[in-house]
Amino acid sequence: MSVMPAASASAIASALGAPTAAIVPMPARAALSTSSAPARPLTHSTPSPTGPAAPGAAAARRSAEAYACADLLLQATPFAPMPAFPHRRAVGLLARSPSSSGARARASLGLAPEERSCLVAFQPASAPSLALPPARAGRRFLVPSGWAGHRERGDVVRLPADLPFADAIAAADVVLGKPGYGLIGDLEVAGARFLYAPRPGFPENAVLEAHLSARAGTRAIAPARLASGDWEAELEALESAPRPAAMEAGGCLRAARAILDLLAVDRRGESA
């Protein structure tokens, strides 16, 4: 194998950005195998073993055969077991970093230091299915800029459209949302408390909930409770709970270095 010119792992890590699932599907793998380009499918996160368009045991078998051709699976925390991949490497958390401190982000939103804030980390389309608890002195709800509901409430703050999501998390005392790989990474790095509605129809909900069940400052709540507005007790309990310890998120850099090593890129001279 020839050695490629020097490249920066930090530049590749920046390009990776927030965690997304990526896999070379079977047709692409077949095309690669017949071309002159090196066939090196890379994947990270935890792709579904079958995919929505190909249910059944036969599809699962074909997917497993394709996965077995991969040179490397990069597993970002949390991840499901993927034994079909013969070569796996855990890289830890992938997460975005806020552009400013939590105190500065809160100040930019007009929040007083003593005020508590709950970030509603749902898409604006979810507004009709979410009712907020009754207003309470000293608490503000942070909602996306396109949020249609609760315009009559003075305790609702609409986030600027250009505010980085990681900054919104940094400004919040509690984050309300649904489990997702990207959101979990951002929460872990921020050390944010999390009140979440499980996603029973999501194939990997069990993987995400298993991770969250061992996490401090985290509670589940039924979607019906959110729809009724009857979740003051859960929110108050989390507001009073200690914040989880912030975790290190070097997954992007570790993943970038693994990719460079796989491609035999010369990394001499790169800073540690």
Side-chain angles (χ1 to χ4, degrees), residues 162-251:
D162 59 350
L163 181 74
F165 185 64
D167 287 15
I169 290 179
D173 292 292
V174 176
V175 176
L176 172 69
K178 296 185 293 185
Y181 289 105
L183 180 56
I184 286 177
D186 292 340
L187 292 169
E188 292 285 25
V189 171
R193 304 175 186 89
F194 189 34
L195 180 62
Y196 72 90
R199 307 168 65 183
F202 182 52
E204 296 179 59
N205 183 69
V207 174
L208 301 175
E209 285 210 78
H211 175 86
L212 293 172
S213 66
R215 184 178 187 269
T218 303
R219 297 184 63 154
I221 187 169
R225 296 279 303 283
L226 295 178
S228 69
D230 180 23
W231 45 284
E232 170 65 33
E234 287 81 0
L235 178 55
E236 185 176 357
L238 277 181
E239 288 174 334
S240 302
R243 292 183 72 100
M247 296 181 64
E248 181 268 344

Side-chain angles (χ1 to χ4, degrees), residues 17-246:
T20 55
I23 187 162
V24 176
M26 287 182 60
R29 173 74 204 201
L32 283 169
S33 66
T34 58
S35 73
S36 59
R40 290 198 173 277
L42 293 170
T43 179
H44 68 281
S45 191
T46 52
S48 171
T50 57
R61 185 178 63 254
R62 290 195 300 272
S63 294
E65 291 171 351
Y67 293 164
C69 297
D71 293 295
L72 182 63
L73 170 69
L74 301 178
Q75 296 175 308
T77 302
F79 57 83
M82 296 290 289
F85 289 86
H87 306 291
R88 303 179 294 275
R89 185 181 302 182
V91 297
L93 285 172
L94 305 183
R96 293 164 286 196
S97 298
S99 63
S100 63
S101 67
R104 188 170 293 179
R106 290 173 60 86
S108 73
L109 296 172
L111 300 176
E114 68 277 7
E115 281 187 305
R116 295 178 176 180
S117 59
C118 175
L119 171 63
V120 178
F122 287 104
Q123 294 294 329
S126 298
S129 60
L130 175 66
L132 299 180
R136 181 174 176 176
R139 177 194 290 150
R140 310 284 288 277
F141 291 94
L142 313 179
V143 300
S145 60
W147 196 263
H150 313 110
R151 293 191 177 278
E152 74 287 354
R153 294 185 50 151
D155 61 339
V156 172
V157 177
R158 281 171 170 73
L159 299 173
D162 59 350
L163 181 74
F165 185 64
D167 287 15
I169 290 179
D173 292 292
V174 176
V175 176
L176 172 69
K178 296 185 293 185
Y181 289 105
L183 180 56
I184 286 177
D186 292 340
L187 292 169
E188 292 285 25
V189 171
R193 304 175 186 89
F194 189 34
L195 180 62
Y196 72 90
R199 307 168 65 183
F202 182 52
E204 296 179 59
N205 183 69
V207 174
L208 301 175
E209 285 210 78
H211 175 86
L212 293 172
S213 66
R215 184 178 187 269
T218 303
R219 297 184 63 154
I221 187 169
R225 296 279 303 283
L226 295 178
S228 69
D230 180 23
W231 45 284
E232 170 65 33
E234 287 81 0
L235 178 55
E236 185 176 357
L238 277 181
E239 288 174 334
S240 302
R243 292 183 72 100

